[in-house]
Amino acid sequence: MARVREMGIVPEKISESSLLTRELDFSLFQKKIGLREVSIAIRQISTMIEAGLTLVRGLSIIVGQLDNVRLRDVFTTVQRDIEKGLPLSEGFAKRPDVFPPLLVHLVRAGEAGGFLAESLNSAADSFEADLKIRDTVKAALTYPVIVLCVAVLAVIAMLIFIVPVFQKMFDDLGGELPLPTMILVVLSQNMVWLGPLLVVLIFGGIIWFRRYGHQPQVRIAIDRARNKVPVLGPFFRKVAIARFTRTLSTTLSAGVPILQALAIVKQTAGSAIVEEAVGRISEGVRRGRSIAGLIVAEPVFPPLVSQMVAVGEDTGALDSMLKKVADFTDREVQQTAARLTAMIEPLMVVLVGIIVGGMILSLYLPIFGVFDQIQQTG
C-alpha cells in the first residue's frame, strides 16, 4: 500500500490474483503430523516459558523453527488464538486431530493452577513414554510381518511360474498324482482368478477396517481375539496396562479430578477392553466406591495394579504408585519384546522352510514314484 501511494496510483478495483501467482496447495504431499513432533514442540514451549518468555513469543519462535508445514500452520493458528485472548488449552482443543485429549486437559489444569510449564513437561514425558512403547511394538512385529509377506509372495511365485513347468512333465509321465501334488496343481491352474480375488479381498478388508474398525463391537472383538494369541496376547495386554497407569498417573499428578482423569484415560487407552473396564470403574467411583476394589473386579488388570492402587489410596500417593506400576510395566514390555524377537525369528525361518520345502517335496513326489516303478520293473 505504501508503494502504491508513492506511485500516486489510486486503486479502483481489487481482484484475486491469477492462478500463476496464487500460492499452490501441496498439502497432499506434505508430511503428516506425528505425535513425536508434537511432543518435541510441547517440550520446547515449556522450556521457553520456564526461561521467562511469554507464551506468544514462545509460539512465534516455535513457528519459525518447524519444518513440518502442516504443524507450522497449526501452531500459527494457536498463536493467533492466544493473541485474541483465548487460553492455550482452547487453542489446542480446536485441533483434536493434532493435540491428544491428554494434552488439552493437562494444559487446562496447568492454566488453572499456575503451573503451565510443568503440565507441558508432564504431557511431553507421557507422549515420549507412549512413543517408546509404540516403537517397541513395531520392532517386535516388523520382522514376522516381513517374513510372512515374503513367504506369501514366494508361494504365489512358485504356483505361477514353477508348478506349471512340473505339471507338463507330470502330463508326459502319466499316472495318478499324489494328493499334495494334486492340490498344488489345482491351485496353480486356478491362480488366474485366485490371485485377483486375493488382491480384492486384501484391499476390501483394508477399506472395511478403515470404515468400521473404530466401532466398539469390532474393536472389542479384535482385542479379545488378539488377547487369546498365546505369545502376543500377554504382550499387548502389558502395553495397554502401561498406557493406562501412566496416563492416569500423569493426569492425577497434574491436579485433574479423578472422574475427569478416568474419562481422559478412557479416550487414550488404545484398547477396547480397557476402555470398557475404565468405564465401569468410573461409574463405580461416581457412586463412591474405592478404585482398588473396582480394579480387582476387572480381570484385564493384573493383581499388581490393584495392590499398588490400594497402597496409593491409603497413603494419599495414588499418582506416584501408578507411576511406579507404569515404569515396571514398561520394563516388562521391553523385556517381552526382546524375548519375542529372539523367539519369533527362528520360528518364522522354520515356518518359511516348512512351507517352501513342503511345496518342493510335493512337486517331487511323482518323480520319486516313477523311480520306484522303474526299479520294480527292472
Side-chain angles (χ1 to χ4, degrees):
M1 293 297 296
R3 180 59 177 163
V4 170
R5 294 192 188 98
E6 291 176 0
M7 297 172 63
I9 299 175
V10 179
E12 296 181 354
K13 181 180 178 182
I14 299 178
S15 59
E16 189 176 3
S17 61
S18 65
L19 179 63
L20 294 177
T21 58
R22 189 181 306 167
E23 184 178 357
L24 299 180
D25 183 13
F26 294 99
S27 58
L28 293 176
F29 304 97
Q30 295 168 359
K31 292 173 58 179
K32 294 183 178 180
I33 300 175
L35 184 61
R36 195 181 306 275
E37 295 174 305
V38 174
S39 176
I40 295 174
I42 294 302
R43 180 81 71 184
Q44 291 175 341
I45 294 174
S46 173
T47 303
M48 294 178 189
I49 294 176
E50 291 177 345
L53 274 69
T54 62
L55 184 57
V56 175
R57 176 58 180 164
L59 288 172
S60 64
I61 295 175
I62 292 297
V63 170
Q65 293 178 350
L66 290 173
D67 296 329
N68 192 317
V69 179
R70 290 185 176 181
L71 187 58
R72 187 192 311 157
D73 294 338
V74 170
F75 273 103
T76 301
T77 304
V78 172
Q79 179 185 354
R80 292 172 182 171
D81 291 337
I82 301 300
E83 293 173 347
K84 294 177 182 177
L86 292 177
L88 181 62
S89 58
E90 295 299 325
F92 286 163
K94 290 182 177 180
R95 293 301 303 268
D97 57 323
V98 178
F99 304 109
L102 175 63
L103 174 61
V104 176
H105 287 85
L106 289 180
V107 170
R108 186 173 290 130
E111 291 171 339
F115 49 89
L116 180 58
E118 291 80 359
S119 297
L120 291 172
N121 271 327
S122 298
D125 291 338
S126 179
F127 294 158
E128 290 171 1
D130 191 29
L131 288 169
K132 186 177 181 180
I133 293 178
R134 292 185 187 182
D135 293 339
T136 302
V137 174
K138 290 179 181 178
L141 297 180
T142 299
Y143 181 82
V145 170
I146 292 177
V147 173
L148 185 61
C149 292
V150 171
V152 172
L153 293 176
V155 170
I156 294 175
M158 291 183 67
L159 290 174
I160 294 176
F161 300 105
I162 298 178
V163 175
V165 177
F166 279 84
Q167 182 183 354
K168 295 180 180 179
M169 183 174 60
F170 298 153
D171 294 338
D172 296 336
L173 293 175
E176 186 177 355
L177 296 177
L179 180 60
T181 309
M182 182 65 69
I183 294 175
L184 288 181
V185 171
V186 172
L187 288 176
S188 177
Q189 292 174 346
N190 292 275
M191 279 303 294
V192 177
W193 62 272
L194 283 177
L197 178 62
L198 180 63
V199 174
V200 171
L201 289 176
I202 292 175
F203 281 98
I206 294 174
I207 295 173
W208 181 88
F209 183 78
R210 287 186 175 181
R211 178 172 296 182
Y212 302 103
H214 299 288
Q215 293 185 358
Q217 299 86 349
V218 177
R219 296 181 65 233
I220 291 174
I222 293 176
D223 283 350
R224 287 176 178 173
R226 184 175 58 185
N227 289 336
K228 291 180 181 179
V229 178
V231 179
L232 295 179
F235 175 70
F236 284 112
R237 197 177 302 117
K238 290 177 182 179
V239 171
I241 297 304
R243 184 173 295 168
F244 163 79
T245 52
R246 186 170 300 281
T247 305
L248 187 57
S249 170
T250 303
T251 52
L252 291 177
S253 62
V256 179
I258 181 63
L259 289 176
Q260 189 175 356
L262 289 172
I264 299 170
V265 172
K266 186 177 179 180
Q267 297 177 12
T268 59
S271 171
I273 298 178
V274 174
E275 290 176 8
E276 277 192 333
V278 172
R280 290 189 290 266
I281 293 172
S282 179
E283 185 63 26
V285 172
R286 187 176 288 106
R287 296 177 180 177
R289 297 180 59 185
S290 168
I291 302 179
L294 294 168
I295 290 179
V296 171
E298 299 296 338
V300 68
F301 297 109
L304 175 64
V305 178
S306 59
Q307 294 170 5
M308 296 294 282
V309 169
V311 173
E313 284 184 318
D314 294 337
T315 60
L318 182 58
D319 54 342
S320 61
M321 290 295 107
L322 287 170
K323 186 177 185 302
K324 291 180 180 180
V325 176
D327 294 337
F328 176 78
T329 310
D330 284 345
R331 289 193 295 269
E332 280 198 332
V333 169
Q334 299 289 336
Q335 295 172 1
T336 304
R339 290 195 296 267
L340 278 176
T341 304
M343 180 176 60
I344 287 177
E345 288 183 4
L347 288 178
M348 294 303 296
V349 172
V350 172
L351 178 62
V352 173
I354 292 175
I355 294 174
V356 178
M359 293 184 66
I360 294 175
L361 181 62
S362 299
L363 292 176
Y364 278 94
L365 282 177
I367 300 177
F368 297 153
V370 172
F371 288 158
D372 292 338
Q373 292 178 3
I374 293 175
Q375 291 178 356
Q376 292 176 2
T377 302

